[in-house]
């Protein structure tokens, strides 16, 4: 059983990695709301974080995804540099088990909130089929940038936060 899970995860990872660059979503438009039931029984909405006057990076990721894990130190640097400004990060684990996400959050000491148990329809609604997929949403809830990674992630956040 465990071998089958590992094989499935490897196949999924291959599919997500080879699909990189197939971003079908444009920049413009409002964020797409969703609600997820958390392990404690409470419901959390993306709108609890977005459209509240802050810039918000939304990190769609999974605990088993190597490239996702590679982005965490960069995201932590950005978070600590701008957390006292009108800026936040929200993790949205997709294609993952809640317990695996929680272990990775603890392992990497991720300081930002995570929305767990995300509906399977969310990646399609945002137009992606690979991870990591990081978007920047403006204070009014408008999607400003999509598919941010590496130096481009840093540069885009800096350009929007330069006045703060």
């Amino acid at each position: 059983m465990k071998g089958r899970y590992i094989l499935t995860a490897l196949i999924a990872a291959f599919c997500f990695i080879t699909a990189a660059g197939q971003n079908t979503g444009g920049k413009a438009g409002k964020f797409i709301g969703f609600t997820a039931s958390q392990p404690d029984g409470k419901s959390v909405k993306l709108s609890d974080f977005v459209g509240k006057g802050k810039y918000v990076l939304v990190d769609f990721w999974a605990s088993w995804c190597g490239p996702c894990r590679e982005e965490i130190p960069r995201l932590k640097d950005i978070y600590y540099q701008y957390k006292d400004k009108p800026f936040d990060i929200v993790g949205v684990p997709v294609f993952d088990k809640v317990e695996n996400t929680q272990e990775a959050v603890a392992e990497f000491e991720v300081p930002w909130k995570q929305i767990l148990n995300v509906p399977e329809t969310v990646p399609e609604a945002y137009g992606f089929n690979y991870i990591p997929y990081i978007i920047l949403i403006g204070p009014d809830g408008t999607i400003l940038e999509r598919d941010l990674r590496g130096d481009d992630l840093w540069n885009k956040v800096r350009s929007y936060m330069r006045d703060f």
Side-chain angles (χ1 to χ4, degrees), residues 30 50-56 86 137-142 144 160 164:
K30 287 285 200 182
V50 173
K52 306 280 187 205
K54 289 184 173 187
Y55 289 89
V56 180
I137 300 176
D140 65 350
T142 301
L144 302 172
Y160 286 100
F164 298 101

Side-chain angles (χ1 to χ4, degrees), residues 59-76 96 100-108 110 112 131-132 134 149:
D59 177 26
F60 296 97
W61 72 292
S63 63
W64 51 262
C65 169
C68 299
R69 294 169 76 91
E70 289 173 11
E71 288 296 330
I72 292 173
R74 180 175 289 107
L75 288 167
K76 284 176 75 171
D96 208 356
N100 294 345
T101 298
Q102 291 171 323
E103 287 175 15
V105 166
E107 175 187 344
F108 284 96
V110 174
W112 52 88
I131 50 177
I134 302 171
R149 290 185 63 191

Side-chain angles (χ1 to χ4, degrees), residues 91-104:
V92 182
V94 293
F95 318 118
D96 208 356
K97 292 183 177 183
V98 170
E99 58 273 11
N100 294 345
T101 298
Q102 291 171 323
E103 287 175 15

Side-chain angles (χ1 to χ4, degrees), residues 34-51:
F34 59 86
T35 302
S37 177
Q38 302 306 281
D40 63 5
K42 295 180 183 174
S43 290
V44 175
K45 299 176 194 174
L46 183 59
S47 62
D48 294 340
F49 305 97
V50 173

Side-chain angles (χ1 to χ4, degrees), residues 150-161:
D151 290 339
D152 190 42
L153 170 59
W154 255 118
N155 293 335
K156 294 294 183 181
V157 171
R158 276 191 196 116
S159 72
Y160 286 100
M161 298 303 296

